[in-house]
Amino acid sequence: MSGESRREWKTSERAQDATKGWQVGAVLLVTLLIFTAFVWVTWKQLQGRERHLNPEGPSEPPALKQPEINLVDTAPFPLDTRAYEETNAQQERLHGYGWVDRDAGVVRMPIEWGIERVVGGARRDGGSP
């Protein structure tokens, strides 16, 4: 490091024809004013066109509770729960008590008990093996 020479860096002088900040601001302000004027003129044209096309003013939308609006069926459809009801009935038959044949004295018991009795070797008439 001792053998290195020290260089001094100098910044260059500003050019005389450099753009000044107020010039940039003025261009941006004029651009914003032109854009605002364009948006305002366009909005006024659209309002005039709307008044020309619909002189009575905006129309009221039809009632939403009607069963049909413009050939579209809007009535809510009922939820189909038949599959759930059938599953619940099957579960009740599997896990509940009930009569199979009342005259013959045959009853339905929960399937868990039936499986335990069959695996344990119980006889059909209720006696033990």
Side-chain angles (χ1 to χ4, degrees):
M1 293 216 152
S2 60
E4 292 182 18
S5 64
R6 298 188 98 199
R7 286 190 173 174
E8 295 206 18
W9 296 92
K10 294 183 179 179
T11 57
S12 61
E13 297 294 322
R14 287 190 168 194
Q16 294 297 327
D17 60 344
T19 306
K20 301 203 177 12
W22 67 268
Q23 292 172 334
V24 173
V27 168
L28 288 175
L29 181 64
V30 169
T31 305
L32 180 65
L33 289 173
I34 291 172
F35 176 75
T36 304
F38 175 74
V39 168
W40 184 77
V41 167
T42 305
W43 180 61
K44 284 296 190 182
Q45 285 178 346
L46 287 174
Q47 281 185 334
R49 184 174 185 197
E50 185 177 349
R51 278 192 300 270
H52 174 69
L53 292 175
N54 195 3
E56 294 89 27
S59 61
E60 290 293 323
L64 294 178
K65 300 265 181 182
Q66 291 180 350
E68 190 173 295
I69 298 174
N70 291 338
L71 300 176
V72 176
D73 188 16
T74 60
F77 53 90
L79 185 61
D80 189 10
T81 59
R82 290 178 292 178
Y84 297 114
E85 291 168 2
E86 184 176 343
T87 302
N88 289 340
Q90 290 173 349
Q91 291 294 322
E92 178 63 32
R93 280 192 301 266
L94 277 175
H95 300 288
Y97 293 96
W99 288 103
V100 175
D101 187 0
R102 186 173 281 217
D103 295 335
V106 179
V107 294
R108 183 180 65 237
M109 68 173 72
I111 191 164
E112 296 86 11
W113 287 23
I115 291 173
E116 288 176 13
R117 291 189 64 154
V118 168
V119 170
R123 293 190 343 210
R124 186 175 185 122
D125 59 1
S128 16

